[in-house]
Every structure is written in C-alpha cells, then in structure tokens.
DNA sequence: TACTGATATCTGTGATCACAGTATTCTTCA
DNA sequence: TGAAGAATACTGTGATCACAGATATCAGTA
C-alpha cells in the first residue's frame, strides 16, 4: 500500500502537482507573504501541502532558477534576500518595462476597463486611510496587471509578472514598515485619468514615477 | 551496487549535476543548436549525458518554466515553437531592454573594451563574407553581452540573457536561411563608434534598430 | 491495398530510498 | 558555569521504481 495518501492537493485534470505548488508559492511571494531570507525546506513544505517531496522539489528549483529563491549548496532554500543595490536594479527594470506596457495599453483599454481602474484606485485610497496594508497590496497588484494585460504583449506581461514576484517580498516590507509618500494617494487615480484621456506618454510617465519611488527608497537603504 | 556509474559529467565541487545540464542546454538553445519544435526526452538526454533521469528532469522543468521549452501533458518536452506574433513580442521586449542597457553602458565602457567591440565587429564582417554563420552567431552574442555587462545592472543583464535563450533558436533560423540586410555589415561598427563618441542616445537607437529587424521579419512571417 | 484494433513501447510524474554534507543539540570535561 | 566535542537530526541531491496516459508498431480483416 504505497502512494496516494490523503492529500490537500487533488490531482486535478492534467495539471501536475508541481505546477500547482509552483503557482501557489509564486503568488505568495508576489503578495509578500514571506519575509526575505526566510527558509523553505522541501520536506516541510511537502508535509504542509500533503504531497511527497518530489513535486515540491521541482517547484523550488524552478523558483530558484528564476531567482525568486536562493539556494546555497546543501543548505535549505531561502526567500531571496538581496543587496539593496540589486533590489534597486530590479525596480529600475520594472519601472522601464511597466512604462512601456502602459504606453502600449493606453490606446487598447475599453472605457469599461478604465472604469474598473478608477474603482480600484478609489478603494486603494480607502485602504490607506484604514491602514489595511494587505488589501492595498492586493488591489495595487490587480490595478497594475489589468493595465499590463491590455498591452497585448504576452512576453512583456510575463517578464513583468516575474519581476513582481521577485520584488514582492521587498515591496510588502516597504508598504508595511515605511510611511508612504503623500502623492501615492492620488497617483493611481491620475494614471487612470491619463489613460482615459488616451495620453499614453503621461500615463507611462506616471507609472514609472509610481515604481521608481521604491527604487529611491532602496538606494537610500544602501547607505 | 547501485549509484555512480561511469558518467560524462563528473560531480564537480559543489555544483549540482542538474545545474550543469541546465546551463549546458540553455547555452545550446542560445546559439541555436536546436531547431524550434524538436523533442527532448528526459531519458534520452540522460543517456547522452551519462546520468540518471533525475537531474535532467530538473533541468528540463526549469527550462520549461522559463518558457525555453514547451511541455504538453504526458508528452515529451519540445523546443518552444511559438506563433510568429509571440516571437515578435519577444524581439520587441529585447529591443527595448537592450536599448536601455546600451544607454547605461555607454558612459561606463573603457577604451580597451571598446577596442574589443571594434575587433569583434570587424571579424563579424569577415564571417558574413565567408558565409560562416555559426561563427557569426557566436561573435554577435559576445558583442552584445560585452555591452550589457558594462551596463552594471545585474537584473537587466539576467533578463536579457533569458530573452536571448528564448529567441536563440529563431534567430539562428533566420541567420541561416534568410538573406541578411546589407546594413548589418556596418551596424555593429557604428554601434561601437557611437559608444566611443559617448553618444548614448545614438548607440541605444542603433542597438534597437539592430534587433528590431528581427521583429519585422517575424511580423511578416505572420501573414 | 486500405482500414481497424490490439499490443508493445515510450512519455512525464510522483513516491521512496541512499547518501553526503550542514546545523543543531546534548553530553562531557575543566 | 563555561566551552569543546561527539552524536543526532535535518538539509538538498541523485538513483530507482511505479504508474497512467500517449504514441507507435504490427497483425488481422474486409
């Protein structure tokens, strides 16, 4: 009687366990559920997920391959804990790519989609007032990705998605610990407005501003 | 008597077999050794490498995770064979990122490094005249990466490296089958000159031109 | 000859074990 | 009480097996 113990993850039609675990962990990283530097052991995660070590191991090596996790030799996997310079580099690349994506998206978005952006922006202001960081992080994520999806460039979307997962743990750290600059309250509303006006250059510029604030924060931490 | 049969890959100090295989295959993809669509079976690659299936399997899932390989359910892994639109999207992202990297690199490069660029550009002209495609591909790769390394942004470098591996099989296909436009002979020399003049904008512009030629080629294949 | 259906082979995936390192804990001695 | 060293528990990695689904091969029929 081997195999198939009772498991939390069912074997869904055709999607391998390792994929489910990979997606699962990647999302957790994106929304900052793990602190930078925290350890993830194969067997422990496997126990938590209710599977054998095998699929977890694949998921972790994949995440490490995308530099979301770090792996020293014969040491447990850890959530990447990078030099401030490196994190700033990541935010720099994000700023550029997301600017480009915004420029591409601006003429493509329907008025209905822009309505949703404005609604999200409004709710995010509420989140800040209520000090609800977790909700803010989620809505911020939805806001941005709604735009990038409209850009219509799969490769661009996918690259940005990876960068979000990479910077996720750090951004969450900032949002939770630091005071957010005041214009963050209005920035997302302005972005939605620029898209409404079909002003691609301004939308892209605001988007880069939104992200590069994080860049500056990390460059200052370097000192 | 299990384990450790005679293997082509030695267990080098601290670098896992799966890493070696991963790097090995990734490089092969970058320089276009595999045709898009060709199959890679875990057990066959393992036999060729002289290892068990285990490390090969990790390498292949990692490559698939980075979209260098495709994996249908219960089917063998294949070198990505993408829609022309998707490939064009990849080249678009590459063009932008490599433009940015060139701009960052221009003020950083030493005169000695620029000498090397010019030498490479000169040799590439020879390669075209001698119709030595494989040598051209290698030198082209070295030329570009020498610049991106000088940009001093690890994240940017790494993202571009991944995109090269993704577009590698397609670019090699173009270089081998199509006639290259005439200004390719002089483009790299011009890029080196612009960097020598410390004209970052012009260097970036030329770099984007170099890459976007591939974009247009693939957009035309779409029809 | 052309089509059909059964059989054999090959595919990735998950589980399990063996191993060699690393980290931790616990004991022992001063 | 303190430090040092041995023993134990834990880590990722590689090999091997079991399994189910997909593919290819080949025989038998019309």
């Amino acid at each position: 009687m081997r195999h198939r113990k009772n498991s939390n993850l069912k074997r869904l039609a055709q999607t391998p366990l390792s994929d489910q675990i990979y997606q699962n962990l990647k999302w957790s990283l994106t929304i900052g559920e793990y602190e930078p530097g925290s350890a993830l052991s194969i067997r422990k995660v496997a126990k938590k997920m209710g599977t054998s070590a095998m699929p977890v191991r694949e998921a972790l090596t994949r995440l490490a391959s995308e530099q979301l996790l770090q792996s020293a030799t014969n040491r447990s996997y850890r959530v990447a804990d990078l030099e401030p310079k490196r994190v700033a580099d990541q935010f720099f690349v994000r700023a550029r790519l997301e600017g480009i994506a915004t420029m591409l998206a601006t003429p493509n978005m329907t008025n209905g989609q822009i309505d949703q952006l404005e609604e999200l922006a409004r709710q995010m202001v509420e989140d800040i007032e209520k000090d609800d960081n977790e909700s803010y992080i989620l809505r911020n994520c939805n806001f941005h990705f709604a735009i990038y999806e409209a850009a219509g460039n799969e490769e661009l979307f996918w690259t940005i998605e990876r960068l979000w997962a990479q910077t996720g743990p750090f951004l969450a750290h900032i949002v939770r610990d630091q005071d957010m600059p005041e214009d963050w309250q209005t920035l997302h509303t302005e972005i939605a407005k620029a898209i409404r006006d079909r002003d691609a250059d301004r939308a892209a510029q605001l988007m880069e501003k939104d992200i590069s604030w994080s860049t500056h924060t990390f460059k200052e931490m370097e000192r």
Side-chain angles (χ1 to χ4, degrees), chain A residues 46-66:
Chain A
K47 201 160 200 172
K48 190 174 155 191
M49 300 272 186
T51 71
S52 90
M54 201 60 242
V56 174
R57 172 179 170 177
E58 267 193 23
L60 293 186
T61 51
R62 284 170 64 183
L63 291 168
S65 183
E66 298 178 36

Side-chain angles (χ1 to χ4, degrees), chain A residues 15-83:
Chain A
T15 68
L17 284 177
S18 58
D19 266 13
Q20 297 179 48
I21 296 171
Y22 169 81
Q23 296 294 350
N24 203 317
L25 291 174
K26 189 171 182 177
W27 177 246
S28 294
L29 288 167
T30 303
I31 61 174
E33 276 186 12
Y34 296 104
E35 284 287 310
S38 53
L40 287 175
S41 126
I42 294 180
R43 288 172 176 85
K44 282 178 185 167
V45 175
K47 201 160 200 172
K48 190 174 155 191
M49 300 272 186
T51 71
S52 90
M54 201 60 242
V56 174
R57 172 179 170 177
E58 267 193 23
L60 293 186
T61 51
R62 284 170 64 183
L63 291 168
S65 183
E66 298 178 36
Q67 315 214 4
L68 305 188
L69 299 179
Q70 291 177 324
S71 80
T73 46
N74 289 324
R75 296 276 291 280
S76 101
Y77 285 88
R78 303 189 162 275
V79 178
D81 189 10
L82 305 170
E83 308 285 314

Side-chain angles (χ1 to χ4, degrees), chain A residues 88-137:
Chain A
D89 282 354
Q90 291 178 342
F91 278 113
F92 173 84
V93 177
R94 266 191 56 188
R96 294 310 181 95
L97 286 178
E98 297 183 35
I100 293 167
T102 305
M103 192 156 333
L104 292 175
T106 299
N108 293 349
M109 295 194 85
T110 65
N111 284 324
Q113 288 174 319
I114 301 175
D115 289 342
Q116 288 175 18
L117 287 186
E118 287 173 345
E119 175 64 13
L120 277 171
R122 204 183 52 70
Q123 290 170 324
M124 283 160 77
V125 173
E126 281 181 25
D127 288 335
I128 293 181
E129 285 166 359
K130 282 190 288 186
D131 240 351
D132 188 345
N133 290 328
E134 309 312 315
S135 174
Y136 178 85
I137 291 172

